[in-house]
Amino acid sequence: MKMHSKTLAVRITQAAKLHGSFRLRSGKVSDSYFDKYQFEAIPELLADIAEEMRRFIPDGTEVLAGLEMGGIPIVTMLSQVSGLHSAFIRKTPKEYGTCRYSEGANLASKRILLIEDVVSSGGAISDAVSMLRSDGIEVSQALCVIDRETGGYENLEAHGVELLSLFKQSEIDRHA
């Protein structure tokens, strides 16, 4: 890992690792919590994350598609630094107006890259891939800020999606 990336890992941890008493999704209580939205809320940190992520965008990518909700600020900034158009993927289609699940750039016949903040099981990406593929839009890669290394990579691989990540959780922990 380059020095700039090590510094970025430390900055992400400083912004997002909270201490206190937190009830986790599992119901357990923890004395620390990683609040991924915190690193997205600091403009200069988000810009630096996007600059580093730009290196991971595969050649030939035509549209960056951010997943609701955490992927939206990242895809917006990544679009800005890369010059690629962006789309915003909802968890479910809107029930009014256009009734679409995808807003922004047209995805039909485009080579897209899904963008997410943190991947645990890969479930949100898998759900988006299913929606997109049901409309004939092929997806083969996703890019996230942090792969928590809790099965997401393997689950996505089983669905034919390669997960690229700026950091693995073990790298974040090592530089915390």
Side-chain angles (χ1 to χ4, degrees):
M1 186 185 305
K2 294 192 300 191
M3 182 51 109
H4 183 66
S5 294
K6 287 180 185 177
T7 302
L8 188 56
V10 170
R11 290 172 57 209
I12 289 170
T13 300
Q14 289 172 341
K17 189 168 185 181
L18 307 177
H19 300 279
S21 180
F22 304 93
R23 181 170 306 283
L24 305 178
R25 180 180 286 188
S26 65
K28 294 179 181 177
V29 175
S30 174
D31 62 355
S32 66
Y33 182 75
F34 189 82
D35 185 352
K36 61 190 183 176
Y37 298 109
Q38 294 303 308
F39 69 74
E40 296 174 325
I42 303 170
E44 57 277 2
L45 180 53
L46 183 58
D48 289 345
I49 288 168
E51 280 292 341
E52 286 293 309
M53 287 180 78
R54 179 171 56 164
R55 298 181 300 114
F56 292 87
I57 298 172
D59 290 340
T61 298
E62 297 173 281
V63 178
L64 304 170
L67 301 185
E68 179 186 357
M69 174 164 134
I72 301 299
I74 294 167
V75 79
T76 302
M77 187 64 78
L78 191 54
S79 175
Q80 182 70 33
V81 301
S82 70
L84 293 169
H85 289 213
S86 59
F88 313 103
I89 309 296
R90 298 176 191 280
K91 292 176 184 169
T92 58
K94 271 192 331 188
E95 294 183 10
Y96 57 92
T98 61
C99 298
R100 291 187 269 195
Y101 66 83
S102 176
E103 303 290 349
N106 183 358
L107 301 178
S109 303
K110 302 286 188 200
R111 184 162 177 221
I112 68 169
L113 176 65
L114 292 179
I115 305 297
E116 182 64 299
D117 53 3
V118 177
V119 172
S120 295
S121 69
I125 293 173
S126 293
D127 292 347
V129 167
S130 293
M131 281 194 302
L132 291 160
R133 287 180 177 166
S134 72
D135 282 342
I137 300 166
E138 188 49 42
V139 181
S140 62
Q141 294 175 310
L143 172 61
C144 66
V145 179
I146 301 169
D147 172 2
R148 284 198 172 147
E149 300 178 288
T150 53
Y153 181 90
E154 295 79 8
N155 291 339
L156 292 170
E157 188 175 53
H159 287 93
V161 177
E162 177 188 17
L163 179 63
L164 309 168
S165 60
L166 180 58
F167 294 108
K168 303 237 183 278
Q169 186 66 51
S170 57
E171 293 171 324
I172 294 287
D173 293 344
R174 194 168 41 244
H175 301 293

